[in-house]
Amino acid sequence: MRLIRHIPNRVLFNTIFVSVNILMASTRFSLSRSVQPILKRPPFSSSPRFAPKALLKSYPCPLWSSSFSFCLQTLHHSTSPYLSSSSSSSSFSSCSSFSPPSMASSFTVDDSIGSNPLLQDFDFPPFDIVEAKHVRPGIRALLKKVESDLDELENTVEPSWPKLVEPLEKIVDRLTVVWGMVNHLKAVKDSAELRAAIEEVQPEKVKFQLRLGQSKPIYNAFKAIKESPDWQSLSEARKRIVDAQIKEAVLNGVSLEDDKREQFNKIQQELERLSHKFSENVLDATKKFEKLVTDKKEIDGLPATALGLAAQTAVSKGHENATAENGPWMITLDAPIFISAMQHARNRALREEVYRAYITRASSGDLDNTPIINQILKLRLEKAKLLNYNNYAEISMATKMATVDKAEELLEKIRSASWDAAVQDVEDLKSYSKSQGASEADSLSHWDISFWSERLRESKYDINEEELRPYFSFSKVMDGLFNLAKILFGIDIEAADGLAPVWNKDVRFYCVKDSAGSPIAYFYFDPYSRPSEKREGAWMDEVVSRSRVLSHNGTTARLPVAHMVCNQTPPVGDKPSLMTFREVETVFHEFGHALQHMLTKQDEGLVAGIRGVEWDAVELPSQFMENWCYHRDTLMSIAKHYQTGESIPEEVYLKLLAARTFRAGSLSLRQIRFASLDLELHTKYIPDGPESVYDVDQRVSRKTQVIPPLPEDRFLCGFNHIFAGGYAAGYYSYKWAEVLSADAFSAFEDAGLEDSKAVKETGHKFRETVLALGGGKAPLEVFVEFRGREPSPEALLRHNGLLPVTA
């Protein structure tokens, strides 16, 4: 989920479906952002969910950001060095003295596995001590327990909340938390041993999920609640839970006859396996490319930050004497190095080599994802036919705001509004590169676009992103972000490092407090790139959700816990992490997802926070938060030189603002290509038919790309969002939610961004609606409650400079 969104996001949550989906969601992808030369950011997301709209626990973010923001993929730095002055020991103790959300196990285990950390009572997951050896025995013991609990529930179920929903939530929660912990470690601390352990027990987990999703006693009990005289007296949130459970159970195959259900279950098992294999191949193929450069002339143009990181990477690969000044330098496909090479390397041959390596990742040899793509699409279509749908997109849309027709209509509207601007973008690059004497000016290739775009942007706006890095130190950015959250939503965020175990020394832990000083949520933040063990992209995911049923003390709801993961530039030498503006946008984006999870006031655990939110609405808070990066007061609060403390010059801020719409048409079309291709593959494409998936990509690109992709482009082999995440037939959600988020931010513009009182009042309203109501209310109703009307695309087109100029 959006949070999902990888699923990963992107959202990755809805009950049995939501409940089962919560479980399936743990299979991974989060609300996240992906990399780019071609990408923007992907939301929450990862492997195909049990259901068309699986509860992706995380949200991958779109492949391209609306404001020329590449999705990040770099997380890695340390804790104590970043404690801000405001993070005092007293604030730490106030968080640590509060009883944290308990995730205690409710069962006993045999002595032989009694020491397994996955089976212990804990307040926060023991990320620091879980190892691959714990996965097989721990998950199997857990499955044995929840299977026993499910037997008891089916035998005693009654159509009432205490006898149906509450025990169901408890079953789902324990497996969700533990499996989520294991899957999270796979994403941030990958190893061959952990992969093998997860792969072995995954079919057993999926088997249980299928049994839960297809439980007729549970399904019939939910139907009985809906048909009872008490239905009208239920709260809106509870009605949403019941309706979602019934719909998701049908989508999970509860109504299928025995032979068809067996076929359905085999498809689900295989889709789960293929999804994991797809993402593993992408990670391995990304890590596989390494180019050692010993002649500095070959990497002329690379900024000091990139040279330092490339040398640091070389040291990690055994070249212990590597330095930023003298090399050698290791060029990889890891985002910070890859993006820098594409934007700044004057060596055109190097750019071409790196670009071709990127667009052909996981498309050959043992890591070839082509047969996996074909099989996934074939099985998804088979699944749709079993459930009496025409195609997989119809399954996906069954649990979203949009329909296939409405999604296609929106994409075409934005495509047509973006096309002329994108054509002009290319003409501008040709003219500028020719003026600079570039021999390739009349025939620009894909590996030239980012390079000349940066040169044109520098020339047009006198902005050099690398020169801006010193103004965006990690600690200052986080302080400014937290201050914005205080202004808008009335919360305080304080460092609580040491309160919860972490998986890497660079992971930070924070406590969120309300205006009275009481803790209301917690979150982890893993900011830096670790290409040897960490998945690319950026995402948000839930650790636990808010829940009345799972209250720690029986009186107050269990507090939500989230984690945010990015892949930004790590500290190099004695310098702190100095961020690009794109990386700043990404942090704001993921924090928006986290806010919806943490600031929920919904006590029904199955629709709290991002759970139960329609996938195409889940990106609203994340994309909304990106807008504040261009708000003067906010930017001035985060953009302070890491050595002198001076704010970024006013003229630079104005240039950043002016550059916001630079190449907006091209970047918009990039997202339209991804979304249109996704829908085409899940509506009209015929597996094993006359066209290959790459033929479809070329055909779609003729309408969505001014410069068509290379014939050998195999971008699809790395498209985690739709083949290893929750975005299958759902990538359009980025644009759908972008309409919502731009219109939501325009409410602040209407109120007056310079009017602090109006901003606080509007922020409070946003918190009490969009952030507080979770999946307990239909997203369109939530939006209308906040905005006073239905959404309009006008604000999005205006923000991107794509509205036609009128006399």
Side-chain angles (χ1 to χ4, degrees), residues 248-263:
E248 306 290 5
V250 172
L251 293 175
N252 285 329
V254 71
S255 302
L256 296 176
E257 298 301 324
D258 291 346
D259 56 339
K260 288 187 176 181
R261 188 185 304 129
E262 183 179 353
Q263 183 184 356

Side-chain angles (χ1 to χ4, degrees), residues 631-650:
H631 176 235
R632 185 188 180 283
D633 291 349
T634 300
L635 188 69
M636 290 300 180
S637 74
I638 65 175
K640 297 184 183 297
H641 198 283
Y642 80 103
Q643 290 175 316
T644 66
E646 294 177 0
S647 294
I648 197 168
E650 177 74 19

Side-chain angles (χ1 to χ4, degrees), residues 159-184:
S160 70
W161 223 255
K163 293 289 189 178
L164 170 61
V165 184
E166 292 181 6
L168 176 63
E169 184 179 343
K170 290 176 181 177
I171 290 172
V172 168
D173 189 80
R174 183 61 188 181
L175 185 54
T176 300
V177 171
V178 175
W179 185 260
M181 187 194 328
V182 169
N183 233 5
H184 174 66

